[in-house]
Amino acid sequence: MEEIEAFADETVFRNEENGYTVLTVKCGRTRVSAVGVMPPIAPGEKLRITGEWVEHPIYGRQIKVSGCEVEQPTTLSGIEKYLSSGMIRGIGPATAKLLIKAFGEQTLDVLCSEPEKLMDVQGIGPKRAKMIAESYAEQAQQREAMVFLQSYGVTPSLAVKIYKQYGENVQTVIRQNPYRLVEDIEGIGFKTADKIAASLGVEPDSEHRLGAGVKHALSEATNGAGHCYLPRAELSGYAQRLLGNDMEAIERTIDSLILSRQLIAQVLPGEGEDTVAVYLPRTYHAEVDVARRLREMIDAMPATMALDLSMQIDALEREEGVAFHPQQRRAIETAVRSGMSVITGGPGTGKTTIIKCIIRLLSMGGEIALAAPTGRAAKRMSEACGMEAKTIHRLLEYGGEEGDFARGQDNPLEMDTLIIDEMSMVDIFLMRSLLRALVPGTRLIMVGDSDQLPSVGAGNVLRDILDSKVIPAVELTEIFRQDEQSMIVYNAHRINHGEAPRLNAKGSDFFFERAASPADAAKKIVSLCATRLPGFLGLNPVRQMQVLSPTKKGECGVWMLNQMLQAQFNPAHSGKAERVRGDTVFREGDKVMQTRNNYQLKWKREGVFAWEEGQGVFNGDIGFITAIDEQERTMQVQFDDDRIADYEGADIDDLDLAYCISVHKSQGSEFPVVVMPAVGGPPMLLTRNLLYTAVTRARRLVMLVGREAAIDQMIANVNTRRRYSALCWRLTELMRL
């Protein structure tokens, strides 16, 4: 890390949203480029830059800025250059000359302390003088805030976010309660706020610190582990480990937060003793609302239809040339005769065939809509059923702030039947939004695989509904006859039943390759994807094959495999544009994934007659970088469903390389070929249902690489982390009323 003194010469590029700047500076007699997040800088200003020198393949030597202090220009030429830059509203080159002539080296002091003197200059009246003074003060405040924040270890990019949130009040807000940053600023966690607070002299037993720590502990349990609540004893222990305070102080804080309704506590009956469940208000209200609305839907179930249903199914069998297994027939009858129903089963059990039959039987009874949680799942459902399926977000007509759907209780969906696939992926918040948009009496058919991993978000909706037994449900366990030859289907069911899969059987589509170590496994995975499997199958290795990993870290984790696969399939090239973001280098042609819901990001898609426009790109969407503009610092991504979105500034932080993705992120997707390391790792991650979920993502071939013992360990590990959710209890309690 080096520190240089330089004078600003010219701003080549600046993104006002995140402060990213490309700046030419004079360092002695030479001009160099400085790139990074900086406050607004005008020509002539003196800078103290901290950073490291890097060699850009196109633009040559430049300093990558990690910190930048700005000093006001002191020379007449520097002051004139600064005022002529256009950064201060109301001052251009001609006015700058007049101000220098009137006030000389005191010009900036006049702007700061005596702006009324500006009216002494020819051509400047009261209105213009006020505009100039306000603009200059705004610039000064932003710089002062940036210096203040960076002095406490806040990165320049986060400093820009914080200033945009609080404006001129930034220092007052943070000095009063630095822990507000955790709730108000995305990207700032408790540890960052705690570090700032310590620098400001906030005591470890501060009320603000204790309250923020307890809420952060519960938020992490909700957002990170998928819990709807934590038992009070677990919350206390987690908060104590995070904060380091004595348990008495933690307990007092929890009591205080419950009394002020910042947390909600409810006693839940248990087998041995009752549990005091502690919720964040948003999660509590979502869970209660889902239970209440499901009860309303049950009470308003549409009348039984199709008295000759058995005969109609017989006719469909003759027409389609199929013979339904008794389980499948019961699932069809349950869905058609019930206002709400659940159909669950593993691969090869005929869920898609059943959905198609249900659509045929209900098509005369009104409008039918299909939906799924992700774009990939919706696309697969559309192709399988021969009619349009939408993502749940698109069905609810998302637009605006998070959770702001156009469809809701005041503007409900107009349909007679809704069929939702991949229900295991639906969390408590999305379920609430969906139920709010359904009119009681709408037929709701939920389809999924309850043995897959639960939703990434909070809750265990599908499992809770099944366990409550308040909604008619059929579990499909028999493998559908057409899929009996598939070892993928056969082994998936063996894994689910705790049995070892059959590996490398003759004519199989399920293979295993031994590797001596995780590093050896990683090399073999790259070789398999680059040459061996594409040559054997005749598939595009990037678009039709997907590497999955159970872990993010390690030699066979998502991060390392992505770097190796990117180097193989899309290496650096002098004519290929790049964009560096953190530790990731993005290149044109890279396969990428959206890692969180971005409800504001706009997209367009070419339609038959015109371009379709919309907004919202969601967690798990996969696409390819089609263009990078290095000057404008933007990236264009085209997703699998042909949506094209332009990324700039902080939006790019939501993208990751997707040559390899985690098994959790693969939920709802299906790929021709799945390749996965099996090399061991943390038991809490390597579970039976994770292996089952990974295997069931593949259509044509599964390739596991590693050790048989690691596969056996995953199958034996059924100690999946319990999700704390009370939806099952709430449903059963409501049905007793």
Side-chain angles (χ1 to χ4, degrees):
M1 199 70 69
E2 290 192 36
E3 184 177 286
I4 64 169
E5 288 190 354
F7 287 90
D9 184 46
E10 180 187 6
T11 299
V12 178
F13 169 81
R14 178 168 175 79
N15 185 323
E16 292 298 339
E17 287 298 309
N18 62 7
Y20 185 88
T21 305
V22 179
L23 183 70
T24 303
V25 299
K26 289 182 190 175
C27 188
R29 293 187 175 183
T30 60
R31 280 181 170 83
V32 296
S33 293
V35 297
V37 176
M38 294 175 252
I41 293 170
E45 292 187 300
K46 187 178 180 181
L47 312 174
R48 181 173 283 105
I49 294 173
T50 305
E52 56 182 331
W53 292 100
V54 295
E55 191 70 29
H56 192 279
I58 298 175
Y59 302 110
R61 192 166 186 254
Q62 53 187 215
I63 188 165
K64 189 177 178 182
V65 178
S66 59
C68 179
E69 295 181 20
V70 183
E71 297 181 12
Q72 287 187 347
T74 54
T75 65
L76 289 176
S77 61
I79 294 171
E80 184 176 343
K81 201 168 187 181
Y82 166 55
L83 295 176
S84 300
S85 67
M87 291 185 68
I88 301 174
R89 295 187 300 277
I91 300 180
T95 304
K97 288 183 182 296
L98 291 173
L99 291 172
I100 294 292
K101 184 177 179 181
F103 306 116
E105 293 178 355
Q106 306 302 312
T107 301
L108 298 183
D109 292 332
V110 169
L111 289 174
C112 178
S113 306
E114 302 176 282
E116 66 278 0
K117 287 186 177 180
L118 293 174
M119 289 184 287
D120 295 340
V121 178
Q122 184 180 357
I124 299 180
K127 187 175 180 180
R128 191 176 176 197
K130 183 182 179 184
M131 178 200 301
I132 292 170
E134 288 177 349
S135 180
Y136 182 78
E138 187 181 317
Q139 297 283 345
Q141 287 163 359
Q142 182 169 352
R143 286 177 187 165
E144 185 181 349
M146 295 285 282
V147 170
F148 166 75
L149 292 165
Q150 290 180 56
S151 68
Y152 292 109
V154 179
T155 64
S157 57
L158 281 179
V160 171
K161 277 188 177 181
I162 294 169
Y163 182 78
K164 288 176 73 68
Q165 174 75 23
Y166 301 127
E168 63 184 45
N169 299 317
V170 62
Q171 293 195 45
T172 304
V173 169
I174 291 175
R175 288 186 191 280
Q176 285 178 348
N177 179 13
Y179 295 98
R180 277 188 59 180
L181 294 167
V182 180
E183 296 183 13
D184 294 347
I185 311 294
E186 187 176 342
I188 294 188
F190 177 80
K191 290 182 179 178
T192 301
D194 207 30
K195 185 178 176 182
I196 296 170
S199 301
L200 288 167
V202 176
E203 294 296 328
D205 59 355
S206 155
E207 180 184 333
H208 289 313
R209 180 175 184 270
L210 290 169
V214 169
K215 287 191 286 186
H216 175 73
L218 191 50
S219 179
E220 282 290 289
T222 300
N223 300 325
H227 298 302
C228 285
Y229 69 85
L230 279 182
R232 176 158 178 160
E234 286 195 30
L235 175 59
S236 301
Y238 186 4
Q240 186 184 37
R241 291 191 295 274
L242 175 71
L243 292 163
N245 297 78
D246 62 76
M247 187 59 78
E248 187 178 344
I250 301 292
E251 293 291 352
R252 282 200 308 270
T253 300
I254 294 174
D255 286 337
S256 175
L257 291 171
I258 292 170
L259 284 171
S260 62
R261 301 293 289 175
Q262 294 180 67
L263 299 179
I264 295 176
Q266 182 168 23
V267 177
L268 302 176
E271 293 180 6
E273 58 184 36
D274 293 346
T275 297
V276 178
V278 184
Y279 288 82
L280 292 170
R282 175 173 178 256
T283 317
Y284 173 81
H285 292 303
E287 190 178 82
V288 169
D289 203 25
V290 166
R292 180 179 62 82
R293 290 178 185 276
L294 281 172
R295 169 63 198 264
E296 289 175 358
M297 296 282 289
I298 293 168
D299 290 344
M301 282 184 176
T304 299
M305 59 180 294
L307 296 176
D308 58 347
L309 183 56
S310 182
M311 293 175 58
Q312 291 187 40
I313 297 174
D314 290 342
L316 266 178
E317 285 183 321
R318 290 191 298 272
E319 191 176 324
E320 298 293 329
V322 299
F324 292 119
H325 185 277
Q327 276 186 350
Q328 295 172 320
R329 194 177 185 99
R330 184 158 61 87
I332 295 167
E333 292 174 347
T334 301
V336 174
R337 292 190 187 279
S338 306
M340 292 183 70
S341 59
V342 181
I343 300 170
T344 180
T349 54
K351 295 193 297 292
T352 300
T353 303
I354 289 169
I355 293 173
K356 290 166 69 175
C357 181
I358 291 168
I359 291 170
R360 290 280 301 275
L361 291 169
L362 293 176
S363 58
M364 300 301 291
E367 185 179 347
I368 300 172
L370 310 181
T374 68
R376 278 177 169 261
K379 185 176 181 180
R380 197 173 74 246
M381 194 181 188
S382 296
E383 292 168 350
C385 297
M387 63 179 287
E388 183 186 22
K390 298 179 179 180
T391 63
I392 297 176
H393 282 83
R394 189 174 169 212
L395 180 77
L396 299 179
E397 298 176 18
Y398 170 79
E401 297 300 321
E402 182 174 350
D404 182 11
F405 295 101
R407 294 291 186 170
Q409 57 190 11
D410 296 326
N411 182 26
L413 292 166
E414 297 172 359
M415 63 191 58
D416 298 281
T417 299
L418 175 61
I419 304 175
I420 302 288
D421 199 8
E422 295 288 355
M423 267 298 298
S424 64
M425 297 182 65
V426 177
D427 65 28
I428 197 73
F429 300 112
L430 188 57
M431 189 65 176
R432 181 194 196 187
S433 296
L434 179 66
L435 293 175
R436 283 167 63 93
L438 291 180
V439 177
T442 303
R443 190 182 307 276
L444 178 62
I445 302 168
M446 296 170 277
V447 183
D449 185 346
S450 60
D451 293 316
Q452 287 186 25
L453 293 168
S455 59
V456 175
N460 205 357
V461 174
L462 178 60
R463 185 76 264 165
D464 283 346
I465 288 174
L466 289 168
D467 290 346
S468 72
K469 297 182 171 36
V470 301
I471 294 172
V474 177
E475 182 180 6
L476 305 171
T477 56
E478 294 294 323
I479 300 175
F480 199 36
R481 185 169 290 114
Q482 289 96 308
D483 288 329
E484 283 181 348
Q485 300 305 312
S486 169
M487 290 302 294
I488 296 174
V489 173
Y490 175 75
N491 280 335
H493 286 272
R494 285 183 65 86
I495 290 167
N496 204 25
H497 295 143
E499 301 169 2
R502 288 184 60 192
L503 305 172
N504 300 335
K506 186 177 180 181
S508 175
D509 53 8
F510 199 107
F511 296 94
F512 171 77
E513 179 153 325
R514 291 179 183 84
S517 66
D520 183 38
K523 289 179 183 176
K524 287 186 174 181
I525 286 170
V526 174
S527 174
L528 283 163
C529 293
T531 56
R532 294 165 60 191
L533 289 177
F536 173 61
L537 297 168
L539 296 177
N540 182 303
V542 178
R543 292 185 177 272
Q544 295 176 290
M545 296 168 57
Q546 184 61 57
V547 179
L548 304 180
S549 178
T551 63
K552 289 185 178 179
K553 300 178 182 178
E555 292 174 292
C556 278
V558 170
W559 296 336
M560 185 63 73
L561 284 172
N562 262 323
Q563 291 182 27
M564 296 174 69
L565 291 163
Q566 183 192 42
Q568 174 66 46
F569 292 113
N570 196 25
H573 187 277
S574 58
K576 188 176 290 182
E578 292 185 350
R579 177 73 192 272
V580 179
R581 198 72 178 181
D583 296 328
T584 304
V585 178
F586 293 108
R587 299 190 185 107
E588 289 176 341
D590 271 337
K591 185 178 185 179
V592 292
M593 171 181 272
Q594 179 77 11
T595 60
R596 76 172 185 91
N597 291 340
N598 185 331
Y599 298 91
Q600 282 73 45
L601 191 62
K602 295 180 180 179
W603 53 261
K604 60 182 179 180
R605 175 168 47 204
E606 189 171 7
V608 178
F609 302 108
W611 283 90
E612 177 187 357
E613 294 184 349
Q615 64 185 86
V617 179
F618 304 104
N619 190 356
D621 288 350
I622 293 177
F624 289 83
I625 298 174
T626 54
I628 295 177
D629 190 320
E630 292 184 317
Q631 291 296 324
E632 296 293 327
R633 311 294 295 175
T634 61
M635 297 198 318
Q636 187 178 85
V637 177
Q638 182 166 6
F639 291 98
D640 287 346
D641 58 0
D642 297 325
R643 286 172 301 152
I644 298 171
D646 288 323
Y647 284 75
E648 62 179 350
D651 292 335
I652 297 173
D653 293 340
D654 299 333
L655 288 175
D656 275 343
L657 294 175
Y659 299 98
C660 176
I661 62 176
S662 69
V663 177
H664 282 84
K665 292 289 188 183
S666 73
Q667 286 177 266
S669 298
E670 200 174 70
F671 311 97
V673 176
V674 163
V675 181
M676 190 180 90
V679 296
M684 64 186 294
L685 295 176
L686 304 181
T687 61
R688 181 188 296 176
N689 67 344
L690 182 138
L691 179 60
Y692 172 79
T693 299
V695 166
T696 55
R697 300 307 91 206
R699 285 198 306 271
R700 286 184 57 180
L701 186 142
V702 169
M703 172 64 78
L704 302 179
V705 182
R707 299 180 296 111
E708 291 101 324
I711 298 173
D712 293 339
Q713 287 165 7
M714 293 177 77
I715 293 170
N717 184 9
V718 293
N719 297 319
T720 54
R721 188 187 299 175
R722 180 190 168 184
R723 283 207 168 183
Y724 290 116
S725 165
L727 179 61
C728 174
W729 173 76
R730 293 186 194 285
L731 284 170
T732 54
E733 286 296 298
L734 282 172
M735 294 308 292
R736 291 195 183 114
L737 299 177

